[in-house]
Amino acid sequence: MKQRTETTPPTTPAAPPPAPQESPPPPSRLAVLGLLLGIVLATLDGTIVGTALPTIVGELGGLGHFSWVVTAYLLTAAVSTPIWGKIGDLYGRKGSYLTSITVFLAGSVLCGLARNMEQLIAFRALQGLGAGGLFVGAMALMGTLLTPAQAGRSQSMIGVMLPVAMIGGPLLGGFLTDHLDWRWVFYVNVPVGAVALLLVGLLVRLRGERGTARIDYAGAALLTAGILALTLLGTWGGTTYDWLSPQIGGLALLAAASLAAFARVERRAPEPVVPPRLFRDRNFTLAQVLTFLAGAAMLGAAGYLPQYLQFVHGMSSTESGLLLLPLMLGMMGAQLYIGRAVGKGGRYRAYPIAGAAVATAGALALLTVGVDTPAAVASALTFVLGAGLGCLLQPSLLITMNSAEPRDMGAASGTNALLRTIGGSLGVAVLGSLHTGRLTGTLTNRLGPDGERLAGGELTPALLHGLPEPARDAFRAGVTSGLHGVMAGTAALCALALAAARLIREVPLRTERKAAAPAD
């Protein structure tokens, strides 16, 4: 009895009670909707502009700057994503999120008002700067307001919105351009963003004190340089410049040197942009690997399957987009199911393992698609790939949120979004190189030097009908061969994801909400 009284401090019973009082109140469904709308804006705008670009170039001119309308947006969005996350951790996640929406909407309005291509590119860069904070801000706020167990359903909705925006974006962009004006591709963001501002501003409640730490400017600058080099490498490699050209080699060296220096700086910085402590958690590191690989596979498949449907089966852009609905539905169904199952206390480790295996099988199944395969059969096969990718992406979000401490929620969300963006960009570039190589090889074998010139030209599905029958048949065979190269690469990516998924440990999801970060 004497020993027990000496080892029990008299003040310990009074310590625990304040903690529940500082926990943020649970958000309403409307508040969660406001967060989800921000993700809709960020994802949709990355795809909606594509179908409007020919009309935009026809009105504003500047065909030589065509690709920069997309590249400027991707560059600033990728560069700013982890920085927005860290700003939210240090100075307030709600304020950071609302600011990013405001910047994005300002850029959208200015894009709609652009009078020449130079203005449009500059305003697209501003728009991308705001877009970088939308996804990471929404994810960080959800990680603060909800436990990983509670957030399963909400995060499954995020997973649903990604494929919907990827496939629905081009359809909506084409509709607005054909029936209204291409400027509405940008103006349509304003009402959606205004609703998100109101819902989050009025309904999201966070408690805590403002932080006093400084941003790691050296780390941010090095990360910016590395991401810029990687994005340009993915954009220019195999298209503007050959993969073995000095320009691409220089970009690769710049990316490697910048990211290596960034890793050294982050280990010494008091408040690093991407805290190295996050990667000490095995599950967090594996979740980022899965996100990178799944992002590459998803964008690669969604980018090159429409080409097969348009060139081989003579479909319009709208028809080819509709035939990708099984891919989207597979992803949506898998992510909704996993979100609900895990939210009810289920285990999550088996899902990425099964998802990687199913996605690998789906990619290999698409290798059987030929020139004479009915479009409906090719479309149905994409469902298997989509379901597998959905089983990869949703657990990666849950594991990321569960592995990070509340003070690092913004940085963790930013890292996850960044790796998905870089994975998609590099995946499209590498898989595109495989597609181009096989297409060119098939045309050269069948048509000789004329085939090589045909592969290097700007051929549209409409122009294909005007070619002689041997050239048409050779081109269709080349596009099919290119799709096989893309699917073989996708299967390899999914096989790597399977190897990584098997290393995940089943760590129980948190069931209690911790207090918000000091910045909030």
Side-chain angles (χ1 to χ4, degrees):
M1 296 293 294
K2 181 178 180 180
Q3 183 180 4
R4 186 174 184 177
T5 55
E6 289 177 352
T7 57
T8 305
T11 58
T12 49
Q21 298 177 356
E22 295 188 2
S23 296
S28 66
R29 291 184 178 181
L30 285 177
V32 174
L33 175 62
L35 299 176
L36 294 177
L37 286 177
I39 296 174
V40 170
L41 287 173
T43 311
L44 188 65
D45 211 78
T47 59
I48 195 174
V49 178
T51 49
L53 276 178
T55 304
I56 293 173
V57 173
E59 181 174 328
L60 299 182
L63 181 61
H65 304 302
F66 182 91
S67 63
W68 279 100
V69 177
V70 177
T71 303
Y73 178 88
L74 293 176
L75 282 174
T76 53
V79 165
S80 62
T81 292
I83 298 174
W84 278 113
K86 195 60 185 180
I87 290 174
D89 286 344
L90 295 178
Y91 301 112
R93 293 175 186 135
K94 178 180 175 180
S96 172
Y97 183 62
L98 295 177
T99 301
S100 68
I101 295 178
T102 304
V103 173
F104 178 82
L105 293 182
S108 298
V109 173
L110 290 172
C111 285
L113 297 174
R115 291 292 176 259
N116 54 57
M117 190 62 74
E118 289 74 18
Q119 288 182 6
L120 181 60
I121 292 171
F123 297 149
R124 280 286 281 172
L126 176 64
Q127 192 185 29
L129 185 65
L134 296 179
F135 189 94
V136 62
M139 287 298 301
L141 284 171
M142 282 188 182
T144 301
L145 296 170
L146 301 170
T147 68
Q150 294 171 332
R153 293 187 180 183
S154 297
Q155 291 179 1
S156 68
M157 291 304 299
I158 295 174
V160 167
M161 290 175 182
L162 293 178
V164 168
M166 281 183 54
I167 298 172
L171 297 177
L172 179 59
F175 177 83
L176 292 174
T177 303
D178 292 339
H179 294 86
L180 293 174
D181 185 80
W182 66 263
R183 298 180 188 276
W184 279 97
V185 169
F186 302 106
Y187 293 149
V188 73
N189 295 324
V190 177
V192 180
V195 172
L197 280 173
L198 286 174
L199 292 178
V200 175
L202 296 177
L203 300 179
V204 171
R205 296 286 183 266
L206 297 175
R207 299 172 184 169
E209 298 179 354
R210 183 177 296 274
T212 57
R214 295 179 300 174
I215 296 177
D216 174 23
Y217 291 105
L222 288 169
L223 181 61
T224 298
I227 294 174
L228 283 171
L230 280 176
T231 306
L232 289 173
L233 188 150
T235 303
W236 289 343
T239 54
T240 305
Y241 302 105
D242 185 77
W243 281 107
L244 299 179
S245 66
Q247 292 87 347
I248 297 300
L251 286 172
L253 289 175
L254 175 61
S258 299
L259 294 178
F262 170 73
R264 289 197 299 271
V265 168
E266 295 300 273
R267 286 196 293 267
R268 300 186 181 94
E271 286 290 342
V273 176
V274 180
R277 57 179 172 267
L278 288 173
F279 292 92
R280 295 172 190 161
D281 187 291
R282 173 176 172 175
N283 275 7
F284 179 88
T285 302
L286 290 171
Q288 309 323 301
V289 172
L290 293 181
T291 298
F292 179 89
L293 294 173
M298 178 177 65
L299 288 181
Y304 292 100
L305 279 167
Q307 289 194 25
Y308 165 79
L309 294 171
Q310 291 178 38
F311 281 108
V312 177
H313 292 283
M315 294 183 170
S316 66
S317 298
T318 303
E319 290 172 336
S320 65
L322 290 174
L323 281 175
L324 286 184
L325 284 177
L327 175 71
M328 180 184 71
L329 292 174
M331 295 181 68
M332 289 172 55
Q335 292 182 98
L336 282 172
Y337 172 78
I338 293 173
R340 290 178 178 273
V342 175
K344 293 179 181 178
R347 296 175 175 269
Y348 57 84
R349 180 177 179 270
Y351 293 117
I353 296 175
V358 171
T360 303
L364 293 175
L366 285 167
L367 290 174
T368 63
V369 170
V371 175
D372 298 326
T373 302
V377 174
S379 174
L381 288 175
T382 65
F383 178 86
V384 181
L385 178 61
L389 293 176
C391 291
L392 277 173
L393 288 169
Q394 178 61 23
S396 299
L397 285 173
L398 291 172
I399 294 170
T400 297
M401 295 295 99
N402 192 55
S403 303
E405 293 296 325
R407 62 171 175 165
D408 293 327
M409 203 62 68
S413 303
T415 302
N416 187 267
L418 174 65
L419 286 171
R420 187 179 59 256
T421 301
I422 294 177
S425 177
L426 294 180
V428 168
V430 175
L431 295 177
S433 179
L434 291 174
H435 185 279
T436 302
R438 294 185 67 124
L439 170 64
T440 304
T442 301
L443 290 175
T444 303
N445 290 336
R446 291 201 176 195
L447 303 176
D450 291 338
E452 188 173 354
R453 287 193 294 270
L454 183 61
E458 296 182 358
L459 186 65
T460 65
L463 294 176
L464 180 63
H465 295 294
L467 295 179
E469 186 174 350
R472 288 201 307 269
D473 292 341
F475 197 85
R476 290 184 179 121
V479 169
T480 303
S481 178
L483 177 65
H484 290 167
V486 170
M487 288 301 110
T490 301
L493 291 172
C494 295
L496 290 175
L498 177 60
R502 292 178 62 85
L503 300 176
I504 292 175
R505 296 171 178 169
E506 189 77 54
V507 178
L509 297 177
R510 292 197 304 267
T511 56
E512 296 181 1
R513 283 184 297 118
K514 297 184 179 181
D520 296 318

